[in-house]
Amino acid sequence: MGATFSISASAAAELGRQAAVAGTPGLMHLDLVSGSCEQHVIRLRPGHLAGVAMARADGVTLHAPEEQLHLLEGLCLDYRGDLSGGGFLISPQDNVRCCLCGSAFSRC
């Protein structure tokens, strides 16, 4: 794999919190589902559901299906929170178009 998938500090903190609340400390799973605004939407769930470890940060290991790793190369998972809530976002990179929702993207 060329460029790796990365996790921001704020995303790692929120992933760790969600994993702990779910009873799977340090383990989270990311997969891609079809989107309506862009081609792929990230879906995060607690635990190690399937796939391979693709990124580690601050005590959290993120797993993903091996067949989706090429779509995630070079992306960064971020988390933004405010008084009305929060959400995980894909930070825009070259050759990646993100929807305004931030969790959907297409490779250009």
Side-chain angles (χ1 to χ4, degrees):
M1 185 185 294
T4 59
F5 185 87
S6 61
I7 303 171
S8 73
S10 59
E14 181 60 18
L15 289 170
R17 187 194 70 75
Q18 289 186 17
V21 167
T24 59
L27 295 174
M28 289 292 286
H29 178 83
L30 179 148
D31 62 344
L32 299 174
V33 295
S34 295
S36 57
C37 52
E38 291 294 344
Q39 190 174 8
H40 308 288
V41 177
I42 59 170
R43 177 173 59 176
L44 291 159
R45 296 180 284 172
H48 172 219
L49 303 174
V52 297
M54 61 171 287
R56 289 183 180 89
D58 296 337
V60 175
T61 301
L62 188 58
H63 294 82
E66 191 167 5
E67 64 273 8
Q68 293 182 349
L69 293 180
H70 70 283
L71 296 169
L72 298 166
E73 273 186 43
L75 298 180
C76 178
L77 183 67
D78 196 8
Y79 180 82
R80 301 293 163 120
D82 59 29
L83 293 175
S84 62
F88 289 97
L89 310 166
I90 295 293
S91 296
Q93 306 288 327
D94 291 339
N95 300 322
V96 174
R97 183 177 60 238
C98 290
C99 177
L100 292 176
C101 71
S103 64
F105 70 96
S106 296
R107 291 271 182 186
C108 303

